[in-house]
Amino acid sequence: MQRSAPRLTRILAAAAVPVMLVVAGCSSDSGSGGGDGAGEAGGAKATASATASATPSPTPTVEPAKFAKLPTACKAIAAKTTASLVPKAKNENGTAAASTDLSHRSGCSWNGLDDKGVKGSQYRWLDVSFYRYDSEVSLGSGQARAQENFAKELGKIQATAGAKTLSTAPVAGVGDEAKIVTYTVNKTGEDFPYASVVARSGNVLVLLSYNGAGYAGAPVPRAKTIVEGATKAAKEAVASVAAANK
């Protein structure tokens, strides 16, 4: 009995060692498993964050401008039309307006005095201007910019100093939108009836003005004649914009 007791003690001690190792191993595996889970979650978050940051923001866009060119202003209205509206013009081919950028701004004018001797003289003036607006993300589309300036230019004409019997009306069949402003201004002691047209075609604005006066006893031009002349010339000017871009 005395010899078997120590032997039993040694056997129990030896048997206890694997059990401790197994328990320790489980504890270690458990801790390691928890660490891997946290790493996977962190990695997923990092990947999602990287994907989100890598996704590009949408690039701002704007509607393209309809027209890229302007017509040659002095050829935008037919020669026979300018000849009938401005008889005896000083320059039958028109006088081009000064411009540093003909792709965006251009103009032309005709004026002349038709002297009828003792019957007096008739004076006429016709001018046309073109303005083209590009589409820019920071400013908006060319069409929208032309619309905005359409309203501004119309307002300027309606605010003409000394204008009498001023009236505004839409003009059908001229571009995308058009209005004509009629009024009378007294200059050099004579009444000048005016007809000014503001028209828009796409991203191009067309401004046209026609007026006249009678001198030395000649009658004042009829308002109807001035309106009809301005409307005809405006239609040709607006049509020339599309023709220049074919």
Side-chain angles (χ1 to χ4, degrees):
M1 295 295 291
Q2 290 179 350
R3 289 181 179 180
S4 62
R7 182 181 178 185
L8 179 60
T9 300
R10 288 195 298 272
I11 292 172
L12 291 174
V17 172
V19 174
M20 292 174 66
L21 290 175
V22 172
V23 172
C26 290
S27 298
S28 176
D29 290 345
S30 175
S32 175
D36 290 344
E40 291 174 0
K45 290 181 179 178
T47 302
S49 176
T51 301
S53 61
T55 302
S57 300
T59 302
T61 59
V62 64
E63 180 186 8
K66 183 176 182 179
F67 298 118
K69 301 177 182 179
L70 286 180
T72 301
C74 289
K75 294 182 179 180
I77 302 171
K80 62 180 181 180
T81 300
T82 57
S84 65
L85 297 181
V86 187
K88 307 295 183 180
K90 292 180 181 179
N91 183 351
E92 62 181 17
N93 295 318
T95 301
S99 174
T100 57
D101 185 359
L102 290 174
S103 67
H104 289 89
R105 296 178 298 277
S106 65
C108 192
S109 63
W110 297 258
N111 71 88
L113 184 68
D114 185 9
D115 189 350
K116 298 184 180 300
V118 295
K119 295 183 178 180
S121 303
Q122 289 288 338
Y123 176 78
R124 296 291 185 274
W125 174 286
L126 171 69
D127 66 76
V128 64
S129 298
F130 297 88
Y131 298 89
R132 188 179 67 82
Y133 302 90
D134 289 322
S135 292
E136 298 181 28
V137 172
S138 60
L139 299 175
S141 71
Q143 286 74 240
R145 295 176 65 196
Q147 283 181 312
E148 181 181 353
N149 282 282
F150 177 97
K152 290 181 180 179
E153 294 299 334
L154 183 63
K156 290 179 183 179
I157 297 172
Q158 292 171 328
T160 299
K164 299 182 293 183
T165 63
L166 189 147
S167 177
T168 304
V171 184
V174 179
D176 296 314
E177 57 181 327
K179 290 190 176 182
I180 186 167
V181 183
T182 58
Y183 54 95
T184 300
V185 174
N186 187 277
K187 299 186 297 183
T188 62
E190 303 292 342
D191 283 335
F192 282 69
Y194 274 76
S196 295
V197 178
V198 181
R200 181 185 67 83
S201 182
N203 59 312
V204 174
L205 200 61
V206 180
L207 308 181
L208 184 139
S209 182
Y210 182 47
N211 65 82
Y215 284 102
V220 175
R222 296 174 58 198
K224 181 181 179 181
T225 301
I226 296 296
V227 168
E228 289 176 347
T231 302
K232 177 178 175 58
K235 286 182 177 180
E236 293 183 11
V238 170
S240 73
V241 175
N245 285 271
K246 287 184 177 179

